[in-house]
Amino acid sequence: MTSHKTTQTMKPATAAKKLGVYLEATPAEFQEGVVTRSELNALQAEPPQWLQDLRRSGPHPRPVVAAKLGVSIAGLARGGVTEALTTEQIDALKQENPEWLQKERATQAEVRKEAVRIKEKHAERAERTQRSDS
């Protein structure tokens, strides 16, 4: 009995998420088709011009906007940012540095600091456990 390998495909929304781009800004043929794993790999290895342009100037999906601003996705929502933003709009927000952005950046810094503290605590505990096992 022979088995044939099926081609793994994904919806355009999934592929756009993996590529870090805003689906609605991609070409129609990308939005309307399905993307195979090998097509996705090819897009990542050698991005076509439309993908390079989207990554450079947007509009960017919320996770990318949040990362570029140094805040969480929830922080974006609290700041009233619910739409995709272009690089130009993100830069303008950074320049403006509204109060909500300052607050969310500070919150994000605390979250990262706490994550490091917890990681160190776990590493310390693991080290003690390892020493007592030896």
Side-chain angles (χ1 to χ4, degrees):
M1 193 164 97
T2 59
S3 67
H4 65 283
K5 191 175 180 192
T6 57
T7 305
Q8 194 179 15
T9 60
M10 62 193 82
K11 293 177 183 168
T14 305
K17 189 179 270 186
K18 289 180 182 287
L19 292 168
V21 294
Y22 186 57
L23 177 64
E24 285 76 9
T26 61
E29 60 271 14
F30 181 86
Q31 292 181 40
E32 293 160 5
V34 292
V35 181
T36 65
R37 174 67 60 191
S38 57
E39 287 170 336
L40 179 72
N41 291 342
L43 286 169
Q44 288 173 321
E46 291 183 36
Q49 192 60 52
W50 65 263
L51 183 53
Q52 292 175 39
D53 294 344
L54 269 181
R55 285 178 168 168
R56 185 179 359 2
S57 49
H60 303 287
R62 283 189 328 222
V64 174
V65 173
K68 286 180 178 278
L69 290 173
V71 300
S72 66
I73 294 172
L76 274 183
R78 285 190 292 271
V81 178
T82 55
E83 297 299 311
L85 298 179
T86 63
T87 300
E88 200 175 303
Q89 290 169 311
I90 293 168
D91 291 344
L93 251 178
K94 285 179 179 176
Q95 283 288 295
E96 214 175 284
N97 202 13
E99 194 176 321
W100 71 264
L101 182 57
Q102 294 172 36
K103 192 173 149 199
E104 292 301 335
R105 282 180 162 170
T107 300
Q108 198 64 11
E110 286 301 314
V111 168
R112 281 193 289 270
K113 207 183 295 175
E114 181 63 7
V116 167
R117 189 189 68 77
I118 291 169
K119 188 177 176 185
E120 286 170 352
K121 186 177 173 183
H122 287 302
E124 225 172 80
R125 190 177 298 143
E127 200 177 296
R128 275 199 307 270
T129 305
Q130 201 173 23
R131 265 189 265 141
S132 65
D133 290 348
S134 307

